[in-house]
């Protein structure tokens, strides 16, 4: 319409005709004479004459045709003139012939197709409207002319098939088709549409485009459906007319069935449509979404929309840049721009739909929520969730909830988010406020995957967005750091660390923001200080001129801390100073950093560095703990930056420190040592006895004596003398060996004498002597042992990677020395309560000392005394509550540390007593575990082969293997286990989570996983050895405590077996394997395991085949597992492997394995049955695994409750079920809780009944409910036999949940199936009625007991029971059987069904009965059976 208005404006020809307008009022005879003078036609035929007489003046050239009368008057006059003409109807043919001749000239044809110009009279008002239709359109409005004119116009269209319409040219086909729009009366619209559709099939694409877009204005209502179907077919055939067809269809009024058909046609072309047409197609689909099928339509659209085609141009550009072709690059860049613009338009369309169509927003969220597998999720899902969060405030929380859920399940990996940011940054930039809000929220989350996703959002936003967004990201991260929340703080510092490594120059712009964290350092722990100073140092020294102001601030803060008398401040000062030294001493190859080869501008910096080092050295001299921290920090720096440090600078600040070691701690070995000490000095653990000349020893006992006994006097008498303390022994040696290795390309030949040299200790045969020592002597002995153990641990760290066979033997011997010393230390610690060991880690808070460990011990003892002394009912309730809590509904992934310690101590393991002292041992490096490549040597092998030179055999003993495996498990648990499921080591305090893992923190989880994958082969060897060991015992003796079986070795081997299985489980349960970048690592790990079954055949196996082979290999160990804990961990390991993915046969085998373990009798080496809270926790999980993986959970529950439990009831007091030996009176609450909880969960999966269900479907659902209710009845009645408080509590809780599920899901089924299956329904309700009565008896019993824990469940349960009664009555009324229903008052009874007699007055009895009438209504069937009416 706009184009028509523009064309209708009067032009020059109109102005020229203005002076002659009055002449048109003169008689008609003079008009012909004036025609030529006015630019009209020179010759006049019947066509021109009739038009002139009717009021139209035809113009030649560029002038518009003019009309002097109203167009309705013109049409009427022309029609009458033609009809009254003497030659009618022949005159019509003459008229059409004249028209045909007239429009042969293109200019004249154009004039006839364009609107006519009104003729205005000077000084007078004209009757003609300012806008007039074209001559052709007015002729089409005359019935006698219409068919001929239509035919003429359609015949003219092919003349223009091959015309090229320029920018200012005339598009004749479009003008012709426009004439058919909005005609008042079409004589034969069917014929016109038919001819247009025929024309459509032969026309070029531009003309097809014009015809299709004009159809909605041409068609009558009755024709729309038929044409829509034809257009739908056309839509499927070709892709060039997608836009006009959808444009036309969107303007047609279609019925719902046809609309769905057309919508489906549009949906089918989504995957293959051109990118520039995609927004139009999506707009059509979304615009026509109805609430009823919104989820289905959006789900289909989501599957068909693939944004990867939009990414292709970016990859083309990347490859073309390598060709360095300017022409190609510019063309491909424009292609990328077009692609990005199309994607932007696509999301604009989605954004409009989400904002203004409520159904679209909710359906899209639901469609994403319904996607299950990881592969089903796309970049599109993430962008749409961000779009909804940004656009639709009502659905914001729902979108965030779905996003959290998908991240938690691993369906939205970080790689997917990186693809979204990198490939569609233009789109995502619009959602930056939402991205910032979500990232901030995710950093507060409890689940580690969500936290990691939030941190990745920050990093990607900083990397791809503009400077404003970068500034906002840095500000948000600084806010997190200054918030004081430790978890949030750590993640924010990690993000800043990653940014400063990858985007140093970009982050430099916002260094002022980062520097403000220095004002909030009081909230940071030492580890966080290390991260902060690494960030600031990198910024300060990467670009000298720009970073100088940061250097000044850092120097000022560090000097302030070092000068402080507060220990924590000194710690932070040393950490900050060493971190700065590391940044200065880095070799820099970048252009902006320059090379550190002593250029002139470095003099000032070196002066500052020298001053800083002098200040650090001065502050450390008098405090051994601070000096030890300095050694450790320097050692960590050398290890972290291995090969990247400037050796010249390293020598400057490190040489003087390492030279102190031999002076302070090493002495020449001599037979006697002079001096007065608490214990006689004895040289022990010498591995180099053959080398008598030049032998050295570690001067440990004299130094400990000097430190423990003479600390005060030395410090006061010699304030200027440097204090030599045994605390610095291990840290100083660690620095020495790392410094030596760095300077000598990894060689430790200069210091290898320290591996075999002895220590000055004392006689360690403490058996029977320890009780005769004084407290001071016992504590001195404990300290001496701690120092010796930490020395050996550092020695093993240093030399574990040496390839020489003699060195390897010495390292193994040192590990054996460690296990021997730990046995002695365990005995000493048991006799020394309240002892605080010397510190071994120095980067923790000052308050994290021994008192907390002893507090735990005291607390444990106090609780133990309380339980022994209190024999009252309250203590029984407390115990039962504790039992109940240990049998929680959520299975523990791992055993708690205190439980593990207690269990091991009961088993007599001397190492168990040392678990709570782990913070006081030096950390083992990951490289130590290469020792596992050695074989296993047991005493039984030595005895049979009569090897007397055991020390010469380079093999591990069981104690050494257990020592290494236990430490490896702790490390894997700390690094690979998500934070929310990881047990807190040692104590549940915030600062303890990283103690003992300082070196491990410098490695990423992937690096740790790679190390363990390399160890899988020796681990498999050890596990097969364990399998063979226990297989032999089982086959030969059958019972482990018979003669010939070493019980202590059996215990140790069993512990090793458990630790091996746990190592495998921790590795394969790592959630990092779900990420695409770790797929190769997972494959290599599975190859190692699968290769044990098929040697040399695994290289070309598919991932699923590798998983199957690995599953089968590990399944073979089921026969040899010696303890229930091993069985528990093996089951978890198989589940971890089979979940990638869980195939049907693996599920069946897992269920069968769990059942076998449940049906097996577990006996300790002593002959007693396994029991305890640790056993119950594992049993809970294993039983859940069995019921969750079995094919028929209802059948499995029925088997246990109807077979296993009766066997238990008929057994002796301490007996158990013969079918399920794990089912005893002690473990019955565990079985009961799992069975009733799984029963309640399983009935929720039975679909609710619908009126449309067939009779067979109803019968199938009724059968399932019958089995479930029968099981429920059996379980509820077991309370009569097992009436302990935990069982009652469980029954009250899950009984209510079962009744509620029945009301919600089963009652609608009974409503609609009662008439067809009356007997089944009646039997089902009668069985359930018996159960509800028993539940009512439990409520009465709980009130008598006056147990608050039980009575808390009563009100909600009674409410559900009452709802059940009235719901049954409503169901019968619905089926016209209400007369068969009666309701009365139930009497209060106890568990055995005996009536509870009231002791209150008659008035209170009346009140009680009134209460009972509302709370405890009984009901039943009147007569034989109800007969429905109607």
């Amino acid at each position: 319409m706009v184009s028509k208005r523009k064309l209708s404006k009067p032009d020059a020809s109109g102005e020229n005709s203005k002076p002659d307008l009055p002449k048109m009022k003169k008689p008609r005879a003079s008009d012909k004479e004036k025609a030529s003078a006015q630019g009209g036609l020179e010759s006049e035929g019947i066509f021109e004459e009739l038009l002139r007489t009717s009021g139209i003046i035809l113009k030649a050239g560029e002038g518009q045709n003019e009309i002097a009368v109203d167009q309705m008057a013109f049409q009427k006059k022309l029609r009458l003139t033609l009809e009254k003409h003497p030659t009618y109807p022949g005159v019509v043919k003459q008229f059409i012939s004249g028209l045909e001749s007239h429009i042969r000239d293109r200019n004249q044809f154009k004039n006839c197709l364009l609107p006519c110009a009104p003729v205005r009279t000077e000084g007078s008002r004209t009757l003609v409207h300012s806008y007039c239709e074209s001559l052709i359109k007015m002729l089409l409005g005359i019935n006698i002319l219409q068919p001929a004119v239509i035919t003429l116009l359609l015949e003219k269209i092919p003349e223009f098939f091959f015309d090229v319409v320029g920018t200012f040219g005339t598009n004749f086909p479009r003008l012709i088709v426009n004439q058919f729009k909005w005609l008042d009366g079409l004589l034969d619209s069917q014929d016109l549409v038919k001819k247009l559709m025929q024309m459509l099939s032969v026309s070029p694409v531009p003309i097809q485009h014009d015809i299709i877009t004009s159809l909605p204005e041409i068609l009558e209502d009755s024709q729309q459906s038929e044409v829509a179907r034809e257009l739908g077919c056309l839509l499927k055939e070709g892709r060039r007319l997608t836009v006009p067809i959808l444009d036309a269809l969107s303007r047609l009024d279609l019925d719902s069935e046809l609309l769905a058909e057309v919508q489906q046609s549009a949906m089918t072309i989504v995957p293959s449509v051109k990118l520039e047409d995609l927004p139009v197609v999506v707009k059509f689909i979304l615009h026509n979404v109805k609430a009823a099928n919104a989820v289905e339509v959006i789900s289909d659209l989501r599957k068909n929309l693939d944004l990867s085609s939009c990414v292709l141009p970016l990859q083309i550009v990347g490859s073309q840049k390598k060709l360095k072709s300017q022409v190609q690059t510019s063309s491909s860049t424009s292609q990328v721009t077009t692609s990005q613009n199309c994607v932007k338009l696509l999301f604009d369309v989605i954004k409009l739909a989400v904002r203004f169509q409520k159904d679209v927003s909710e359906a899209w969220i639901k469609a994403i929520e319904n996607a299950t597998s990881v592969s089903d999720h796309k970049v599109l899902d993430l962008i749409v969730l961000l779009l909804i969060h940004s656009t639709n405030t009502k659905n914001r929380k729902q979108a965030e909830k779905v996003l959290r859920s998908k991240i938690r399940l691993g369906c939205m990996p970080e790689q997917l988010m990186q693809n979204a940011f990198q490939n569609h940054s233009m789109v995502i930039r619009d959602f930056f406020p939402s991205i910032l809000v979500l990232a901030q929220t995710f950093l507060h989350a409890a689940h580690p995957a969500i936290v990691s996703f939030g941190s990745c959002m920050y990093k990607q936003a900083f990397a791809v967005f503009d400077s404003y967004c970068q500034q906002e990201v840095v500000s948000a991260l600084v806010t997190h750091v200054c918030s004081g929340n430790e978890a949030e703080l750590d993640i924010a510092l990690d993000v800043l660390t990653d940014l400063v490594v990858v985007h140093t120059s970009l982050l430099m712009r916002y260094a002022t923001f980062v520097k403000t964290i220095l004002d909030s350092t009081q909230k940071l722990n030492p580890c966080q200080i290390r991260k902060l100073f690494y960030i600031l140092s990198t910024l300060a020294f990467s670009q000298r001129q720009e970073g100088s102001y940061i250097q000044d601030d850092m120097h000022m803060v560090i000097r302030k801390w070092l000068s402080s008398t507060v220990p924590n401040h000194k710690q932070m000062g040393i950490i900050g100073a060493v971190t700065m030294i590391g940044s200065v001493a880095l070799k820099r190859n970048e252009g902006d950093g320059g090379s550190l080869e002593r250029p002139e501008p470095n003099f000032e910096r070196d002066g500052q560095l020298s001053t800083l080092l002098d200040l650090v050295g001065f502050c450390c001299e008098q405090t051994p703990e601070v000096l030890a921290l300095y050694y450790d920090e320097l050692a960590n720096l050398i290890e972290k930056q291995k090969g990247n440090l400037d050796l010249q600078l390293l020598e400057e600040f490190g040489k003087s420190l390492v030279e102190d070691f031999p002076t302070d701690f090493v002495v020449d070995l001599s037979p006697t040592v002079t001096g007065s000490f608490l214990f006689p000095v004895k040289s022990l653990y010498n591995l180099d006895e053959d080398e008598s000349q030049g032998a050295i020893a570690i001067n440990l006992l004299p130094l400990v004596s000097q430190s423990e006994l003479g600390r005060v006097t030395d410090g006061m008498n010699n304030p200027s003398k440097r204090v030599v303390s045994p605390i610095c022994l291990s840290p100083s040696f660690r620095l020495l060996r790392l410094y030596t290795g760095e300077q000598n390309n990894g060689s430790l030949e200069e210091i290898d004498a320290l591996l075999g040299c002895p220590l000055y200790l004392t006689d360690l045969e403490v058996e029977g002597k320890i009780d005769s020592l004084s407290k001071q002597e016992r504590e001195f002995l404990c300290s001496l042992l701690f120092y010796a153990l930490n020395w050996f641990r550092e020695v093993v760290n240093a030399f574990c990677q040496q390839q020489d066979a003699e060195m390897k033997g010495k390292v193994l011997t040192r590990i054996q020395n460690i296990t021997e010393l730990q046995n002695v230390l365990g005995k000493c610690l048991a006799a020394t309560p309240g002892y605080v060991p010397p510190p071994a880690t120095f980067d923790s808070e000052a308050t994290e000392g021994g008192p907390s460990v002893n507090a735990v011990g005291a607390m444990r003892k106090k609780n133990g005394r309380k339980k022994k002394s209190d024999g009252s009912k309250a203590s029984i309730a407390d115990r039962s509550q504790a039992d109940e809590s240990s049998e929680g509904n959520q299975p523990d992934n791992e055993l708690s540390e205190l439980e593990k310690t207690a269990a091991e101590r009961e088993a007599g393991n001397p190492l168990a007593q040392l678990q709570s002292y782990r913070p006081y041992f030096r950390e083992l490096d990951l490289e130590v575990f290469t020792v596992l490549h050695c074989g296993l040597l047991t005493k039984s092998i030595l005895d049979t082969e009569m090897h007397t030179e055991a020390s010469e055999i380079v093999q591990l003993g069981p104690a050494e293997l257990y020592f290494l495996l236990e430490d490896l498990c702790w490390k894997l648990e700390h690094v690979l286990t998500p934070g929310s499921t990881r047990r807190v080591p040692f104590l549940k305090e915030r600062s303890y989570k990283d103690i003992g893992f300082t070196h491990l923190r410098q490695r990423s989880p992937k690096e740790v996983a790679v190390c363990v994958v390399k160890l899988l082969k020796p681990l498999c060897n050890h596990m097969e050895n364990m399998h063979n060991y226990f297989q032999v015992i089982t086959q030969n003796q059958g019972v482990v405590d018979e003669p010939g079986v070493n019980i202590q070795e059996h215990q140790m081997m069993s512990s090793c077996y458990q630790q091996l299985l746990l190592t495998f489980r921790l590795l394969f349960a790592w959630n990092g394997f779900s990420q695409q970048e770790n797929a190769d690592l997972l494959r290599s790990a599975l190859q190692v395991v699968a290769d044990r079954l098929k040697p040399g055949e695994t290289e070309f196996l598919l991932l699923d085949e590798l998983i199957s082979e690995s599953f089968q290999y590990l399944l073979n160990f089921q026969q040899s597992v010696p303890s229930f804990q091993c069985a528990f961990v093996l089951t978890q390991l198989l589940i971890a492997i089979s979940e990638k993915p869980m195939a049907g046969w693996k599920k069946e085998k897992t269920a069968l394995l769990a059942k076998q373990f449940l049906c097996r009798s577990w006996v300790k080496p002593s002959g007693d049955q396994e029991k305890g809270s640790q056993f119950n926790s594992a049993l809970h999980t294993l039983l859940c695994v069995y019921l969750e993986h079995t094919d028929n959970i209802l059948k499995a529950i029925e088997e246990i409750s109807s077979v296993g439990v009766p066997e238990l009831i008929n057994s002796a007091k301490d007996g158990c079920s013969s079918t399920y030996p794990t089912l005893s009176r002690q473990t019955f609450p565990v079985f009961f809780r799992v069975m009733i909880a799984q029963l309640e969960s399983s009935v929720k999966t039975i679909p609710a009944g619908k009126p449309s269900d067939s009779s067979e479907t109803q019968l199938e659902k009724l059968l399932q409910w019958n089995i479930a209710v029968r099981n429920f009845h059996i379980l509820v009645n077991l309370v009569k036999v097992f009436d302990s408080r935990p069982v009652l509590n469980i029954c009250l809780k899950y009984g209510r949940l079962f009744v509620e599920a029945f009301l919600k899901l089963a009652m609608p089924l009974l409503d609609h199936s009662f008439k067809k299956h009356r007997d089944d329904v009646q039997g089902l309700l009668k069985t359930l009625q018996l159960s509800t009565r028993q539940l009512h008896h439990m409520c009465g019993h709980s009130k008598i007991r006056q147990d608050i824990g039980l009575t808390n469940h009563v009100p909600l349960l009674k409410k559900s029971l009452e709802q059940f009664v009235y719901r049954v009555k409503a169901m019968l009324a619905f089926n016209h059987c209400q007369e068969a229903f009666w309701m009365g008052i139930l009497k209060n009874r106890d568990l055995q069904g005996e009536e509870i007699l009231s002791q209150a007055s008659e008035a209170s009895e009346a009140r009680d009965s009134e209460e009972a009438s509302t709370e405890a209504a009984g009901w039943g069937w009147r007569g034989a059976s109800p007969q429905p009416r109607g």
Side-chain angles (χ1 to χ4, degrees), residues 360 381 494 574 693 727 740 845 1023 1061 1354:
V360 171
D381 296 334
D494 289 339
I574 289 170
Q693 294 184 351
I727 286 177
T740 306
E845 302 286 351
M1023 202 144 76
L1061 290 168
V1354 171

Side-chain angles (χ1 to χ4, degrees), residues 231-248:
L231 290 177
C233 296
L234 197 61
L235 186 67
K236 295 177 185 176
E237 292 172 6
R239 301 290 177 260
R240 304 178 71 183
L241 297 173
T242 301
V243 173
I245 290 174
L246 292 179
D247 180 50

Side-chain angles (χ1 to χ4, degrees), residues 229 351 450 468 845 918 929 1158 1179 1215 1233 1345 1415:
R229 284 192 176 86
K351 187 175 182 179
I450 299 176
Y468 166 75
E845 302 286 351
R918 282 181 60 89
F929 301 108
L1158 292 171
L1179 178 63
R1233 172 185 285 275
R1345 290 285 299 268
E1415 291 184 357

Side-chain angles (χ1 to χ4, degrees), residues 164-356:
V164 178
V165 181
T167 307
F168 302 104
T170 303
N171 191 333
F172 281 97
R174 183 179 298 170
L175 288 174
I176 292 171
V177 175
N178 284 345
Q179 307 306 307
F180 302 128
K181 291 182 180 179
W182 308 114
L183 289 177
D184 292 334
L186 268 173
L187 297 180
D188 191 354
S189 60
Q190 293 283 354
D191 184 61
L192 173 61
V193 173
K194 183 179 178 182
K195 289 179 179 177
L196 282 174
M197 297 308 288
Q198 289 174 351
M199 183 67 67
L200 189 65
S201 63
V202 297
S203 301
V205 172
I207 298 177
Q208 288 179 324
H209 190 289
D210 293 332
I211 293 174
I212 292 171
T213 52
S214 302
L215 283 174
E217 287 83 22
I218 298 173
L219 296 174
E220 292 184 353
D221 292 347
S222 59
Q223 298 173 296
Q224 291 191 5
S225 297
E226 183 183 350
V227 173
R229 284 192 176 86
E230 290 188 39
L231 290 177
C233 296
L234 197 61
L235 186 67
K236 295 177 185 176
E237 292 172 6
R239 301 290 177 260
R240 304 178 71 183
L241 297 173
T242 301
V243 173
I245 290 174
L246 292 179
D247 180 50
L249 289 172
S250 64
R251 290 182 286 143
L252 295 178
D253 185 20
L254 309 178
D255 60 67
S256 57
E257 184 180 344
L258 181 58
L259 181 62
E261 188 180 330
V262 173
Q263 200 174 45
Q264 188 58 40
S265 299
M267 191 72 75
T268 56
I269 69 166
V270 169
S272 55
V273 75
K274 287 194 297 184
L275 189 56
E276 53 265 30
D277 295 341
L278 188 58
V280 180
V281 180
V282 173
K283 182 178 181 181
F284 174 79
I285 294 171
L286 293 179
H287 184 70
N288 295 290
V289 165
K290 306 297 180 187
N293 66 341
V295 176
E296 183 182 351
V297 171
I298 297 294
S299 297
D300 289 343
L301 179 62
R302 190 185 146 272
K303 288 176 186 174
N304 291 326
L305 265 181
D306 186 13
L307 296 183
S308 59
S309 59
C310 314
V311 182
L312 192 61
L314 293 172
Q315 297 169 348
I316 293 171
V317 170
S319 62
Q320 287 178 345
K321 279 182 180 177
K322 295 176 184 177
L323 300 174
K324 297 182 179 179
S325 170
Q326 294 182 353
V327 178
Q328 287 182 338
T329 305
S330 62
S331 63
S332 54
T333 304
S334 65
Q335 189 181 355
V336 171
T337 306
T338 306
S339 170
Q340 290 177 340
N341 289 338
C342 291
V343 176
K344 187 81 166 59
L345 284 173
L346 171 65
F347 282 102
D348 284 345
V349 167
I350 298 174
K351 187 175 182 179
L352 286 173
V354 164
R355 175 173 291 176
F356 298 112

